[in-house]
Amino acid sequence: MPIKNYSFNPENYKSELLKILVEIDSEKTLSEQKFQQILTKHPKDDKGVFSKNNLVIGYKYLESKGDLAEVKSKLELLKKIQIKPVRTQSGVTPVTILTKPFPCPGQCIFCPNDIRMPKSYLSDEPGAQRAERNNFDPYLQTYDRLQALKNIGHNTDKVEIIILGGTWSDYKENYQIWFVKRCFQAMNDFGDGLEKDYLNLNSKLSKINYREEPKNTEVIRNTRSSILPEIKPSQTYNQIIAHQNLSEEKRESAKLESATWEELFLEQRRNETNNSRCVGLVIETRPDNISPQEVIRIRKLGCTKTQIGFQSLDDKVLELNHRGHNVKATRDAVELLRWAGFKIHAHWMANLYGSSPKEDLEDFNKLFSDPDFCPDELKVYPCSLIETAELMDYYKAGLWKPFSQEELLMVIIEVIKNTPEYCRLTRIIRDIPGTDIVVGNKTTNFRQLAEIQMDKMGIIRKDIRSREIKNQVVTMDELELKIMKYPSSIGEEQFLQYVTKDNKIVGFLRLSLPKLEKEKVQKFDHPFISELSNSAMIREIHVYGLAANIGEKNTQKSQHLGLGESLIKKAKEIAKEYSYQRISVISAIGTKEYYRKKGFNDGEMYQYLEL
Ligand code: SF4
């Protein structure tokens, strides 16, 4: 692949870059202090020192010219100059992108109102800034993120697309199809090595500016005051965005934001064998937006996981916070998603209006003791007060206040402690810039503080994230297959995991075993997807280790121990024992080839094996 249009040209710094790389290579272990010393010794003109990004670009350039003969271990050298290695330790490179600002059916009192953003996001959050810079064009957001990751030395062959913003299911269908098609197009073009200039020609949307005048932050922040002459002071986020969308510029833009299913399927097929494959696609929505039709639609889009806002499992708290749905809606949504094999990534909030630390802990315990919930992944967001949220009025009236640091620490410790082995605690505390928080916790590393405290108290953390193997090299005879069974709203779940002696997790498979008897059929007509009739379901296979290039074999990394294959074999055995006629898998577009090689057939929306 040719060197792309980087503003940094390594050709101009060949000699300095080579000296730096050779010196770094000669250091057995490289401390940060030593690294800085080497950089300072070989400055970049009078413009300071080289960045790690510069070094990676320089490395690739010099290697392509055959100028790295003096380097003894190229792989080690590359590892030393890469930054943020944690980003791909779970085997997959995540790319988070945002939808455009759009009205949301929810009226949650804790939700921020920043009209430059899709509902609930703030324009100074890191991912949000990237989205705004790219005018919320999914193509540019995806491509730029992939390029940035590649520039700093990461593999970009296995990508998880995470689409965030408001309530996905409420965006118009043609917008959804177009949005996802553009993501696939970006992965495909990037994987094919197409140049950025080519992309600019194809992104007409990038000419459209979503940011409205005036740009005065104070005025924009208070969306309930008048920001445009014709908007009354009492207008809400939804009313303002709906009004904006009527402008000629937005209507013109909307015409471009449309695609057909056939156009999407074409890009999906192109992605099946592309160099940058989509191995997971995530959307976020509300429980009351999940219906059989919606489940089928997101599956056709290529979705494999849903982020879903539970927020609370208490009807009183949901009502007080104007969520607009009850706990039954959450139960129903989980049931439908589980039948369709989706991974369920729940959001749960502490410190909501009307709750207390004690009630929060009772509420949290329902998450994993009630079979109707049991999410696979969980984000825990204690409520933070944002100036533009309606909660501000409650705070001013003395009706709501944040937990004290001690109360919050106690709640978070209990949350971590009581999260079972099959769940991944993806986030604790939302990453909101401290300047946006009026009152409440501003410590972004609160999870770390809680974990330190737990270590002192001798409390073991069981969730997946705490046990991931990371870069540790393992061999098959060090591993044990552990199977954890638990009831779900549609039958039984089995969590198959390969673990080390100290319970570090190296790979896992989520197997759903829906009840076969008719009498279990409850709220919906099951199976509402006929190809899943009499089928067990592999909802997820994940093997940890550094993301290895597709086809790379000469390594002991865990992704090459054949764990995926062993897990599938075991899942098949179990499904047979339970008398299913077939086992299906909710494959992502970019994992279809993998399953075909394992003998799976292509169904309409799933792949399957007859048993
Ligand atoms: S549903 Fe989500 S995005 Fe919409 S108002 Fe509620 S919290 Fe905000």
Side-chain angles (χ1 to χ4, degrees), residues 486-529:
Y486 57 97
S488 78
S489 51
I490 64 165
E492 184 180 312
E493 280 285 327
Q494 294 204 5
F495 184 65
L496 284 58
Q497 50 173 337
Y498 274 108
V499 292
T500 59
K501 290 193 175 54
D502 53 355
N503 209 26
K504 290 273 177 227
I505 186 162
V506 186
F508 67 84
L509 183 148
R510 297 186 192 277
L511 180 64
S512 175
L513 303 163
K515 283 252 166 112
L516 290 170
E517 304 92 62
K518 278 278 174 228
E519 62 268 28
K520 174 62 189 155
V521 174
Q522 312 171 333
K523 302 151 202 158
F524 303 98
D525 223 2
H526 289 305
F528 63 95
I529 300 172

Side-chain angles (χ1 to χ4, degrees), residues 102-113 118-121 165-167 237-238 284-289 309 311 321-325 347 349 430:
F102 196 74
C104 176
Q107 295 181 357
C108 315
I109 62 170
F110 49 80
C111 186
N113 292 289
K119 190 77 168 89
S120 104
Y121 288 85
T167 297
Y237 172 95
N238 282 358
E284 69 173 345
T285 195
R286 287 164 53 92
D288 54 345
N289 275 76
Q311 315 310 10
N321 288 272
H322 300 176
R323 271 295 286 175
H325 69 80
H347 297 189
M349 295 182 74
R430 188 168 156 188

